[in-house]
Amino acid sequence: MLTSAFPSRLKWPVILDYGIACATPALAVVLDVSFSRLWGIDPPASVFLCGILIVAWVSGPGPALLATALTVLAFDYFLMQPIYSFSLEFKEFPRLARCLPSWRCLWCR
């Protein structure tokens, strides 16, 4: 029977997994804002999606679910109109709706 030389998941304390899940959306917001201010690039949700993928790969489905929830909240608060508010304008719903199915699929195995 063939076995992989790499473990399927890194072994460290669970609190570190959830710490990574909390820090990743914050890093994604910083990257997204810096991309738009420095280079004029506005990545729609790809930075946030990459962050959730990394959390799911490194930490597993539980922290990935937390990272997904925090990412949706950060995406709404920092990037959708009205900015710095959790209320949504009607015209922003399609933008959020395009992101939710892809984020949900990450932690459904």
Side-chain angles (χ1 to χ4, degrees):
M1 183 168 127
L2 296 173
T3 59
S4 174
F6 299 106
S8 63
R9 194 173 150 221
L10 299 174
K11 303 295 181 201
W12 52 47
V14 174
I15 192 74
L16 188 58
D17 288 334
Y18 285 95
I20 291 170
C22 292
T24 302
L27 180 63
V29 167
V30 168
L31 285 173
D32 192 272
V33 169
S34 66
F35 282 158
S36 69
R37 289 200 178 150
L38 293 175
W39 295 295
I41 302 170
D42 188 23
S46 57
V47 175
F48 294 96
L49 186 60
C50 288
I52 295 171
L53 282 171
I54 290 170
V55 171
W57 179 42
V58 171
S59 300
L65 180 60
L66 176 64
T68 302
L70 292 175
T71 298
V72 168
L73 289 174
F75 190 75
D76 178 26
Y77 189 77
F78 290 106
L79 301 172
M80 297 181 76
Q81 296 293 329
I83 295 178
Y84 306 122
S85 172
F86 286 113
S87 64
L88 286 174
E89 291 182 3
F90 183 72
K91 66 179 183 176
E92 294 291 338
F93 279 112
R95 185 175 177 193
L96 186 62
R98 281 191 308 245
C99 300
L100 287 176
S102 60
W103 291 339
R104 186 185 59 81
C105 290
L106 293 176
W107 51 269
C108 293
R109 295 184 197 205

